[in-house]
Amino acid sequence: MEFRDQAIVLRLGSFKEADLWVRLLSPSRGVFSAFAFGGSKSRRRFSGCLDLFNEALFQVKSQGEYLALQEGLLLKGPDRLRRDWRRLGVAVNCALFLESFCRGAEQAERVHRLFVSLLNNLETSPHCSTLLPMFFRIRLAFEQGYALNPRQCSDCGNPLLRRAGDQALLPLGENGLICRDCASRSNGNSGNGRRFALGAGSLGVLRHILEEPLDDWQGMTADEHSQRECVRAVEAFLQHHTGLNWLNGGFRRKS
Ligand SMILES: [Zn+2]
């Protein structure tokens, strides 16, 4: 089998003196790995494609159980990320999460589009929020099917907030956000009883992350407390459901 695919380099490493392995993200295949034999020396065949976060058109051939890159044509590469370590750190962090979270081709096009937006944003945006990686994880999980509804109670279907000062609840063991009436009935007996309260401010943050393009996230007007409240609740919920642990610096699945 041989094919051409447009892909972004998410990660790469060397495994012999001249050979590289590459983790790629394409809009049709999602995350996949390939070898680039002679990749660290063959500038002509790969024409500068094999650098972190470059987007390139690759010719790929299967060789037994693995894929091998035959040649590449560079389409686009970051510039600011090469000079700004903090922004590069954000991109690496998001790429690692994406790699551990996204399996196969499921929703690959949406995931690819989101990651392209992230790279463009890191290149061009004058500001880089410390919460950007968290927002990215929440949106990516949403695109992958962890579809929290920030407006309706997942239990009774009524609006989450019906009275001034209402709070919605996110019990870790449930399917989504629930209204206060349903919360008082369930008593939070699932998910070890852990649940997080989200007020109007933090629900607004969640709606913004899920419904607005990534480039508009910096226009969020919510205060930082609401932003952090939203992130804390949704990340705990995702960790409970996915078994992925990333708060302690890694992206490992719990055994
Ligand atoms: Zn309800």
Side-chain angles (χ1 to χ4, degrees), residues 6 17 24 30 32 35 47 55 59 76 86 89 92 120 122 125 134 142-143 162 172 176-177 185 187 227 233:
Q6 184 172 331
E17 197 180 335
L24 297 159
F32 68 99
F35 292 106
S47 63
E55 181 148 37
Q59 186 72 26
K76 194 176 176 189
R86 199 172 139 254
V92 167
N120 288 341
L122 289 170
S125 166
M134 292 82 159
F142 178 77
E143 302 289 4
R162 298 194 285 278
L172 298 192
L177 288 149
R185 281 197 293 276
N187 284 326
Q227 295 186 27

Side-chain angles (χ1 to χ4, degrees), residues 90-108:
V90 171
V92 167
N93 185 297
C94 292
L96 283 173
F97 179 74
L98 190 157
E99 210 187 291
S100 59
F101 197 83
C102 301
R103 302 286 167 98
E106 200 175 333
Q107 305 299 338

Side-chain angles (χ1 to χ4, degrees), residues 152-160 162 177-183 185:
Q152 271 185 320
C153 173
S154 65
D155 205 347
C156 69
N158 286 322
L160 281 168
R162 298 194 285 278
L177 288 149
I178 57 175
C179 69
R180 203 160 61 175
D181 293 348
C182 290
R185 281 197 293 276

Side-chain angles (χ1 to χ4, degrees), residues 107-164:
Q107 305 299 338
E109 193 179 349
R110 297 171 75 150
V111 169
H112 177 267
R113 199 183 313 135
L114 184 65
F115 196 69
V116 168
S117 304
L118 177 83
L119 292 179
N120 288 341
N121 183 271
L122 289 170
E123 278 294 305
T124 58
S125 166
H127 305 291
C128 180
S129 163
T130 53
L131 293 173
L132 183 57
M134 292 82 159
F135 292 170
F136 177 84
R137 293 200 283 263
I138 291 171
R139 177 63 174 263
L140 187 77
F142 178 77
E143 302 289 4
Q144 285 275 294
Y146 290 90
L148 283 177
N149 186 329
R151 297 173 191 275
Q152 271 185 320
C153 173
S154 65
D155 205 347
C156 69
N158 286 322
L160 281 168
L161 307 181
R162 298 194 285 278
R163 298 169 287 263

